[in-house]
Amino acid sequence: MKISVLTVCWNSAATIRHTIDSFLAQDHNDKELVVIDGNSSDETVEIVRSYPQDQIRLVSEPDCGMYDALNKGLRLYTGDAVGVLNSDDCFHDRAALGRISAGLEHADIVHGDLDFVEDHVSKRIVRRWRAVARPVKGFRTGWMPAHPTFYVKRKVADVVGAFDLSLKVASDYDWMLRAVEVHGFQTAATGHVLVDMMVGGASTRSLASHIGHNLEALRARRRWLGSGPVDYALVAKPARKLKQLVSIRRGN
């Protein structure tokens, strides 16, 4: 199974080597990395081009943000399955794509565990995200997979379609919700850490970004699940994240 990995970047020279190195180190050989660059003004493009290009495809041009770039990637990838690796994140170990491929032999969608790290040198863990199987009411309960670990077969991507550009920080949440809840594709958790994610992303860098993400997620649930102005997941979703953070501080 050929797995395509989409990496969106803009002025990512400080981190993208870690991302590419972790992709190339994967022991699953049938793979491609599609790098969608937003016309960076630093050395990002030069760094990407410095690697052998047999498994890397690069597009560099202006875009309208991360989700617009991901939509370009969805039009460009050639694999049997696709997922996203951010330009400041890394695969956790060499076996990540192999585990994803194995999971996709039995499910339409796979997702896994994720470690939030301070950086990719010390690998100091700030928070752990541990995947659980979808509960009966799914996204209505505050459950969601970690998007950087979320890989889908091509038929899923074809049916779900584009990321919603009207959502600024939760379009990935909306996309996963549509795949799982609206279209009913089968999900499976790998039971392994798949990605090391650096803290400080668009939806995690501040209290305001957390609030914005949760409000946009509610907007997605109202649209697709018929939720009211306030629903259970509005409280349960951030509560799950708080539990993860507390577990790290206690040394668990």
Side-chain angles (χ1 to χ4, degrees):
M1 174 181 290
K2 183 176 181 180
I3 301 179
S4 297
V5 180
L6 308 182
T7 294
V8 170
C9 58
W10 183 74
N11 288 348
S12 302
T15 59
I16 199 166
R17 285 189 187 277
H18 296 292
T19 305
I20 297 174
D21 288 343
S22 76
F23 167 81
L24 293 175
Q26 293 300 297
D27 56 18
H28 182 83
N29 292 320
D30 198 3
K31 60 184 185 286
E32 72 170 352
L33 180 67
V34 182
V35 179
I36 310 101
D37 176 74
N39 200 26
S40 290
S41 58
D42 66 359
E43 297 178 352
T44 299
V45 171
E46 288 74 13
I47 291 171
V48 176
R49 287 176 175 160
S50 72
Y51 285 86
Q53 298 295 295
D54 56 319
Q55 292 183 322
I56 300 176
R57 303 174 64 195
L58 170 66
V59 175
S60 182
E61 60 188 19
D63 57 46
C64 297
M66 176 175 66
Y67 298 123
D68 181 42
L70 284 176
N71 283 340
K72 291 181 185 180
L74 288 177
R75 294 192 293 268
L76 291 170
Y77 82 96
T78 63
D80 305 300
V82 64
V84 176
L85 184 66
N86 297 320
S87 62
D88 53 359
D89 300 339
C90 296
F91 287 116
H92 181 71
D93 58 26
R94 295 170 56 90
L97 283 185
R99 289 173 175 137
I100 290 166
S101 178
L104 288 171
E105 295 296 332
H106 308 286
D108 302 314
I109 299 168
V110 297
H111 60 100
D113 300 346
L114 179 148
D115 285 345
F116 287 85
V117 299
E118 191 170 89
D119 58 72
H120 294 300
V121 178
S122 72
K123 292 293 187 181
R124 188 179 79 83
I125 298 173
V126 177
R127 188 175 114 213
R128 293 188 176 100
W129 182 310
R130 294 301 175 256
V132 297
R134 178 187 176 275
V136 173
K137 293 186 178 181
F139 278 70
R140 293 176 175 86
T141 69
W143 174 86
M144 63 174 286
H147 186 244
T149 73
F150 193 82
Y151 280 73
V152 307
K153 289 180 178 176
R154 176 174 282 275
K155 67 178 183 180
V156 177
D158 288 346
V159 169
V160 177
F163 287 85
D164 183 349
L165 300 188
S166 73
L167 300 171
K168 303 306 179 185
V169 292
S171 191
D172 47 357
Y173 177 94
D174 172 86
W175 202 93
M176 294 188 295
L177 184 154
R178 284 186 277 147
V180 176
E181 306 292 355
V182 177
H183 298 291
F185 286 108
Q186 180 188 9
T187 66
T190 67
H192 296 276
V193 179
L194 299 179
V195 173
D196 294 336
M197 180 176 182
M198 276 185 62
V199 292
S203 64
T204 62
R205 66 170 58 100
S206 67
L207 177 60
S209 63
H210 279 291
I211 293 172
H213 186 276
N214 283 315
L215 291 177
E216 285 196 352
L218 173 61
R219 175 178 157 191
R221 293 192 300 275
R222 293 181 67 182
R223 178 180 181 185
W224 300 112
L225 304 180
S227 298
V230 176
D231 65 357
Y232 175 76
L234 185 64
V235 176
K237 180 173 168 289
R240 286 173 179 263
K241 293 184 178 181
L242 180 61
K243 182 178 178 181
Q244 295 164 353
L245 181 59
V246 169
S247 71
I248 289 295
R249 289 180 174 174
R250 289 177 177 171
N252 295 334

